[in-house]
Amino acid sequence: GAGVSQSPRYKVAKRGQDVALRCDPISGHVSLFWYQQALGQGPEFLTYFQNEAQLDKSGLPSDRFFAERPEGSVSTLKIQRTQQEDSAVYLCASSILGAISYEQYFGPGTRLTVT
Amino acid sequence: QQQVKQSPQSLIVQKGGISIINCAYENTAFDYFPWYQQFPGKGPALLIAIRPDVSEKKEGRFTISFNKSAKQFSLHIMDSQPGDSATYFCAASKTQKLVFGQGTRLTINP
């Protein structure tokens, strides 16, 4: 595809359920990022992969959040035992270069609502 | 600690006018400063970006002005159009990780 795709686009989870959010980056992009965007706020960094290596997970808010990119392409963000404060839009972005700050292209996001 | 501060929170401009959004940053290690445009229900879209070795960059109707000594940068949208109505985010980065401002909701009145 031409851009970053994410699925599902919308997810409603009951508090305590586990969820998995998928990101398909632009083909050939080395770097992949996850951000969390609360309503009316700017995106906040969660974690970053270069190929299959998770180089920075400093933004993950708790050990309930886990991300993986096992083959260096598709990535999954998993949230265990969801809480209401996890309700947000989860954005995935990819970038072609790995070593320097460069253009990041965002997907449409997954809107997670925890009830 | 808010590393990137953006103002104003909201802005209303008449069609054909100039829209100006400002950002200030704290970390002098930042080396990449992009601006993103976001429409409701969509992901942020990269508009224009600058590195600290230049003071201005222009792409079409969009211009970034960068003041390294003041640690400030701004987005100017010339000849603003109703289709420019969206939320705009500035950001800064040093090692891939983007730090975003709080966003500016821009409305262009026809």
Side-chain angles (χ1 to χ4, degrees):
Chain A
V4 177
S5 61
Q6 294 186 244
S7 61
R9 291 294 316 279
Y10 305 91
K11 177 70 178 177
V12 178
K14 291 191 188 312
R15 189 164 58 122
Q17 283 185 333
D18 298 349
V19 298
L21 312 180
R22 177 187 169 106
C23 172
D24 285 82
I26 295 172
S27 178
H29 276 198
V30 170
S31 301
L32 185 146
F33 307 82
W34 285 97
Y35 292 85
Q36 181 189 60
Q37 186 173 26
L39 190 64
Q41 301 295 316
E44 291 193 359
F45 172 82
L46 293 177
T47 186
Y48 154 55
F49 292 85
Q50 186 169 316
N51 295 306
E52 68 277 4
Q54 189 174 20
L55 298 188
D56 187 342
K57 53 181 181 179
S58 62
L60 295 176
S62 77
D63 58 8
R64 296 186 296 105
F65 287 71
F66 171 77
E68 60 183 4
R69 193 186 185 197
E71 296 178 359
S73 55
V74 171
S75 177
T76 303
L77 176 67
K78 298 179 180 178
I79 309 173
Q80 297 177 323
R81 304 181 303 282
T82 52
Q83 304 294 315
Q84 282 195 318
E85 61 263 28
D86 300 335
S87 296
V89 174
Y90 290 85
L91 295 164
C92 176
S94 70
S95 175
I96 193 167
L97 292 179
I100 61 174
S101 302
Y102 206 63
E103 298 162 352
Q104 293 185 24
Y105 298 93
F106 282 81
T110 295
R111 180 177 296 277
L112 173 65
T113 303
V114 181
T115 61
Chain B
Q1 183 186 11
Q2 187 66 45
Q3 292 195 63
V4 179
K5 294 184 180 179
Q6 184 172 345
S7 63
Q9 278 191 314
S10 62
L11 179 62
I12 300 174
V13 174
Q14 292 299 117
K15 179 183 174 183
I18 303 174
S19 304
I20 302 174
I21 304 170
N22 301 298
C23 280
Y25 63 97
E26 298 171 3
N27 190 340
T28 55
F30 288 142
D31 62 359
Y32 174 70
F33 301 87
W35 283 89
Y36 282 85
Q37 178 190 58
Q38 187 174 31
F39 293 104
K42 306 290 186 183
L46 180 64
L47 265 181
I48 186 172
I50 199 167
R51 296 195 183 275
D53 52 346
V54 298
S55 61
E56 186 175 281
K57 183 175 181 180
K58 182 176 181 179
E59 289 183 1
R61 296 186 295 111
F62 300 94
T63 299
I64 298 180
S65 296
F66 187 84
N67 186 329
K68 188 174 181 178
S69 61
K71 295 189 287 185
Q72 295 176 347
F73 58 110
S74 61
L75 175 69
H76 294 231
I77 306 174
M78 312 299 287
D79 187 27
S80 299
Q81 299 297 312
D84 297 331
S85 297
T87 299
Y88 292 80
F89 293 96
C90 63
S93 171
K94 58 175 178 175
T95 52
Q96 297 277 359
K97 176 169 66 177
L98 286 173
V99 179
F100 283 86
Q102 304 95 314
T104 296
R105 179 172 288 187
L106 175 64
T107 302
I108 307 301
N109 282 337

